Amino acid sequence: MAISAQDVKRLREITGVGMMDCKKALEEAGGDFDAAIELLRKKGQKVAAKRADREANEGLVVTAATDDRRTAVLVEVNCETDFVARNEEFQQFARQVAELALRERPADREALLALPFENGRTVADALTDLTGKIGEKIDVRRFALLESEDGQVISYIHPGARLGVLVEVQGDGDVESVGRDVAMQVAALNPVALSVEEVPEDVKAKELEIAREAARNEGKPEHILENIAQGKLKRFFKDNVLIEQPFVKDASMTVKEMLRQAGATVKRYVRFALGG
């Protein structure tokens, strides 16, 4: 059966697969359009299966937010190489996943992958199809959704889209501006927690033990090791706890002091670094 250029063009428009692969699929299917689509999907599944064990640590961190800034999502979509991360089709897919997550608000990654995407395919199906088309493992590693009842959720994507932050901020002033400053602070300094109270106990214990051991190795007397360790833990808090850190735009004050002056409060934050 003769395969027309129009048929090949139509199949490419539906699947996004290359012209030669579309032509081969139509020829193999004897011109049956639906069978050709099925053949291309099976090819995508084979490619996905072959690349399932490959590392996919490149990609994009993308965000989407409602107009009222009450809700925002952060999504990490991965591929194997930076070259593919710059592919417009990959970038469009990442943006679509973020918009879908914002609209449907799935409970977890599995629920996100099960959501309908396009042409009767789920997000998981679309990942397989895109893997087959691009020839690299494509994955959605994680996503986060923040909702604020009486504040705003401010999103920030660092240039290059390898790092993204969401911050929930409340207050009466310029909440958007304050939230953006805090998000950039989180992106730059990667705090371990919002406040001292939120630092995990195992992190505190580890820092204390490291400090004791270092002091002991320096020959300090045993009876002062605990005081030295507690002092170094306070230093750790200043360097690694968000509101205790020096404010990156004005190191003469801490983030806590900046927030007090702005009449704002940070409720929580999320930070995604690509491949992290």
Side-chain angles (χ1 to χ4, degrees):
M1 179 179 179
I3 305 300
S4 70
Q6 193 64 30
D7 287 338
V8 175
K9 182 173 180 291
R10 181 184 165 211
L11 184 58
R12 174 174 168 72
E13 288 174 350
I14 292 175
T15 64
V17 177
M19 296 289 277
M20 289 305 297
D21 286 335
C22 287
K23 184 179 179 183
K24 288 178 181 177
L26 283 166
E27 289 173 344
E28 189 174 342
D32 185 319
F33 210 79
D34 291 337
I37 292 175
E38 189 62 28
L39 281 171
L40 290 173
R41 285 178 176 169
K42 287 179 179 177
K43 179 187 173 186
Q45 290 171 351
K46 287 181 181 178
V47 173
K50 286 181 180 177
R51 307 193 76 83
D53 295 332
R54 300 293 293 264
E55 293 288 335
N57 292 323
E58 292 295 330
L60 299 170
V61 177
V62 294
T63 186
T66 56
D67 291 340
D68 62 5
R69 301 192 191 92
R70 294 286 191 190
T71 307
V73 295
L74 199 61
V75 182
E76 180 180 348
V77 183
N78 302 97
C79 55
E80 297 176 28
T81 65
D82 180 60
F83 177 76
V84 167
R86 287 183 271 114
N87 176 296
E88 175 54 34
E89 187 174 11
F90 176 84
Q91 294 182 357
Q92 176 64 20
F93 173 76
R95 290 192 290 268
Q96 286 180 279
V97 172
E99 291 291 343
L100 182 65
L102 178 67
R103 186 167 63 249
E104 301 297 334
R105 305 181 187 187
D108 52 31
R109 176 179 176 274
E110 285 65 35
L112 172 61
L113 296 181
L115 288 174
F117 191 69
E118 286 182 339
N119 302 318
R121 308 283 283 169
T122 65
V123 174
D125 293 335
L127 284 170
T128 300
D129 295 343
L130 195 57
T131 297
K133 286 166 57 180
I134 290 178
E136 281 195 10
K137 181 179 180 180
I138 310 296
D139 195 14
V140 177
R141 173 169 291 159
R142 53 183 171 169
F143 84 99
L145 185 149
L146 294 188
E147 296 179 84
S148 181
E149 292 185 1
D150 49 5
Q152 294 186 18
V153 180
I154 306 301
S155 60
Y156 169 72
I157 298 296
H158 194 67
R162 299 176 65 86
L163 177 63
V165 177
L166 298 181
V167 178
E168 182 185 359
V169 187
Q170 295 177 340
D172 299 324
D174 187 353
V175 172
E176 181 182 3
S177 177
V178 171
R180 184 170 177 80
D181 283 346
V182 173
M184 293 176 69
Q185 171 101 16
V186 172
L189 298 186
N190 191 20
V192 299
L194 171 61
S195 64
V196 170
E197 291 73 22
E198 293 183 12
V199 177
E201 289 301 321
D202 62 330
V203 172
K204 295 178 185 176
K206 180 181 176 183
E207 291 302 319
L208 285 171
E209 183 54 35
I210 290 172
R212 290 190 199 99
E213 191 61 28
R216 188 175 289 115
N217 291 338
E218 291 171 1
K220 303 296 184 184
E222 282 292 326
H223 70 277
I224 66 170
L225 293 186
E226 191 57 31
N227 286 340
I228 293 174
Q230 290 295 337
K232 290 195 173 182
L233 183 61
K234 289 181 180 177
R235 179 70 244 179
F236 174 82
F237 291 153
K238 289 180 180 178
D239 291 339
N240 296 281
V241 172
L242 176 58
I243 63 173
E244 305 296 337
Q245 290 176 331
F247 180 37
V248 290
K249 293 178 71 173
D250 182 356
S252 68
M253 68 175 82
T254 65
V255 172
K256 183 192 296 181
E257 291 165 343
M258 180 276 287
L259 290 169
R260 184 164 54 237
Q261 290 182 15
T265 304
V266 174
K267 305 302 290 185
R268 52 184 171 163
Y269 70 88
V270 176
R271 180 184 189 273
F272 283 177
L274 196 64

